[in-house]
Amino acid sequence: MTQSYRGKILINGRRKIMNSRERVLRALKVKEGMPDRIPIQFDLCRQLQDHFAGELGIESSYTNNIYEDVTYRISGNEVRLAMGSDVVIVGPSESESFVSEKFDDGTWLNEYHMRMKEGDIYVEVAECPLKNATTKEDIDAYEWMDTSDPTRFVDVEKYVKKYKDDYFVIGDIELTIFSLAQQLVGMEKVLLDMAMGEEYLAYLFEKCAQFHTKLGIELIRRGVDAIWVGDDFGSQTSLLFSPQMFRDTLKPYYKKMLDAFKAENPDIVCILHCDGAVSALLDDIYEIGFTVFNPVQPGVPGHSVHEIKEGFGEKFAFWGAIDQQYLLPMGSDDELEADIKEKCKVLGAGGGYMIAPAHIMQSDISPERVKLYIELCKKYAGY
């Protein structure tokens, strides 16, 4: 007989401390019962990952994603686990046969054929491959990469086999539909063409959805517990488009994609990463089939911990909510402690929360602050 007792698992009358996998399954409401504590998660940029790998004497391993910034979501699992993370994150890599073209000005072509450049913190798209697209024929002429190439999933298979018994494994396909289309044609163009109802754009959204549906199913077949979709629908102050435009132009593609994931594995957990002030879309996001909302970006309208928990806590588990724009790099230790304490208390009440920074911790955050973040999370994560 198995039952829950004060955050522990009771098996045949004997208590067993939860492992990370059990903890996350309960925190994300996949399994009934409370976790023993709030799970902890974080992502590290290359500089921080290499620093801690050296400090811990662990190899700093990387899985080069199709889109560069996602690399830091799916890399360094050994380092993060050693530091206290409760989840493993994997994702498709560049094909083994792909060779990036480098240019004299320091830019390069990625596997999406985007011309990329180094930004101050993140990489940026210097030239969009479909910047002149106006017709379905233009989209058909675009060369989509092979989603079934087995070399994309070597690391996925390795980490699922190594860690799934003890950790919750998330398969990452961020930059999924809207954000991929945006990076292919450009932000201004995608928003203007949405408003104008340009016919080619619906076709592009459909193609992006089909591409990532195939990648997601490949991850599901390799044993991940969750699929992490990532598209940003908001700015720091508002949505990028009206709720009705989202329902008319984008929502059906996300619904069809998640339906395909559920058809492949009815137990797959569907997570949405969506930056910006997007609380006005959360009911739609739930109707699509997402049950975990990330990153709960702090400091934007509609995202106070009380608004989010009281308004949507019955529908979603939350993952994130710790500010990495000001608080982690520049806030005082007292400010950081107070914020972590509040997020654990409010978002963690009754379960349904995994604490994490709202985005990848970048090089403007010192290693000492990373350690303090983890220490404070552990301090306030208990129920």
Side-chain angles (χ1 to χ4, degrees):
M1 178 180 181
T2 302
Q3 65 188 86
S4 174
Y5 179 74
R6 294 187 179 179
K8 298 180 175 60
I9 306 171
L10 208 62
I11 301 178
N12 296 326
R14 300 180 65 182
R15 296 181 195 176
K16 177 184 176 184
I17 301 297
M18 293 180 189
N19 64 11
S20 291
R21 178 176 179 80
E22 182 74 19
R23 182 176 299 124
V24 175
L25 285 168
R26 292 176 181 237
L28 300 186
K29 303 181 183 180
V30 180
K31 291 185 69 174
E32 292 185 2
M34 290 285 289
D36 57 346
R37 63 165 172 80
I38 295 167
I40 299 167
Q41 193 274 330
F42 49 90
D43 299 317
L44 302 171
C45 68
R46 184 176 291 269
Q47 294 94 322
L48 287 171
Q49 182 178 312
D50 288 348
H51 170 88
F52 287 115
E55 188 174 286
L56 294 165
I58 296 173
E59 181 184 359
S60 189
S61 61
Y62 290 91
T63 301
N64 292 320
N65 188 256
I66 305 164
Y67 188 80
E68 286 81 342
D69 282 336
V70 182
T71 289
Y72 304 106
R73 301 288 211 190
I74 64 176
S75 296
N77 280 298
E78 296 90 346
V79 172
R80 290 183 296 192
L81 296 182
M83 294 174 68
S85 176
D86 283 297
V87 302
V88 167
I89 302 176
V90 299
S93 70
E94 295 173 340
S95 170
E96 191 177 80
S97 63
F98 172 70
V99 178
S100 176
E101 185 177 355
K102 313 288 184 182
F103 300 99
D104 291 341
D105 62 0
T107 62
W108 67 95
L109 287 182
N110 66 14
E111 204 172 358
Y112 282 117
H113 319 296
M114 301 166 187
R115 189 160 178 157
M116 308 300 293
K117 66 178 181 180
E118 288 288 350
D120 293 335
I121 294 181
Y122 301 101
V123 297
E124 300 171 1
V125 179
E127 186 174 0
C128 302
L130 291 174
K131 63 181 181 179
N132 296 317
T134 58
T135 67
K136 289 184 177 181
E137 289 72 25
D138 292 331
I139 307 307
D140 284 332
Y142 176 76
E143 184 181 353
W144 294 92
M145 63 198 83
D146 181 8
T147 56
S148 62
D149 181 345
T151 66
R152 297 192 189 282
F153 305 100
V154 173
D155 284 353
V156 175
E157 293 169 355
K158 177 180 75 173
Y159 287 118
V160 169
K161 181 179 180 180
K162 185 175 182 179
Y163 290 120
K164 184 162 180 176
D165 288 345
D166 297 313
Y167 294 93
F168 187 81
V169 182
I170 297 172
D172 190 349
I173 57 167
E174 289 178 281
L175 201 78
T176 313
I177 301 178
F178 173 72
S179 292
L180 178 54
Q182 170 209 320
Q183 303 287 41
L184 290 172
V185 306
M187 174 63 94
E188 182 177 355
K189 179 174 173 61
V190 78
L191 292 176
L192 284 172
D193 289 350
M194 282 176 71
M196 296 297 291
E198 295 292 343
E199 186 178 4
Y200 87 90
L201 194 55
Y203 191 55
L204 176 58
F205 289 150
E206 182 179 15
K207 290 291 186 180
C208 292
Q210 290 171 352
F211 174 76
H212 273 109
T213 299
K214 293 175 183 176
L215 281 180
I217 288 174
E218 293 286 349
L219 293 174
I220 293 168
R221 289 175 178 171
R222 286 166 171 83
V224 301
D225 298 301
I227 294 293
W228 189 10
V229 172
D231 285 319
D232 299 336
F233 305 142
S235 71
Q236 298 282 105
T237 58
S238 65
L239 292 173
L240 296 176
F241 32 71
S242 71
Q244 191 58 52
M245 183 175 287
F246 173 77
R247 293 168 195 140
D248 292 342
T249 61
L250 286 165
K251 185 176 179 180
Y253 300 113
Y254 289 96
K255 182 70 169 65
K256 186 175 181 180
M257 181 173 65
L258 265 61
D259 286 348
F261 295 158
K262 289 288 186 178
E264 186 66 33
N265 177 6
D267 296 324
I268 199 73
V269 179
C270 295
I271 302 169
L272 177 67
H273 168 91
C274 189
D275 285 339
V278 296
S279 61
L281 291 181
L282 285 179
D283 285 329
D284 294 282
I285 288 165
Y286 178 74
E287 289 172 5
I288 289 167
F290 293 105
T291 57
V292 181
F293 176 54
N294 164 267
V296 199
Q297 183 174 339
V300 300
H303 280 224
S304 76
V305 288
H306 292 285
E307 287 175 303
I308 287 290
K309 186 70 173 182
E310 293 167 12
F312 303 99
E314 292 299 314
K315 295 180 176 180
F316 294 101
F318 302 109
W319 170 21
I322 304 301
D323 174 43
Q324 92 295 339
Q325 292 179 302
Y326 163 78
L327 186 63
L328 278 166
M330 294 177 285
S332 69
D333 290 353
D334 288 343
E335 286 177 310
L336 181 60
E337 181 168 11
D339 190 70
I340 288 174
K341 181 179 180 180
E342 180 189 35
K343 300 296 168 57
C344 288
K345 179 181 179 181
V346 178
L347 293 177
Y353 182 46
M354 180 161 65
I355 192 167
H359 217 289
I360 301 165
M361 288 200 273
Q362 297 292 338
S363 58
D364 58 351
I365 300 171
S366 70
E368 291 71 30
R369 291 287 283 183
V370 176
K371 291 179 180 178
L372 180 62
Y373 157 79
I374 296 169
E375 177 186 321
L376 291 171
C377 288
K378 291 178 178 177
K379 179 177 179 179
Y380 292 108
Y383 287 102

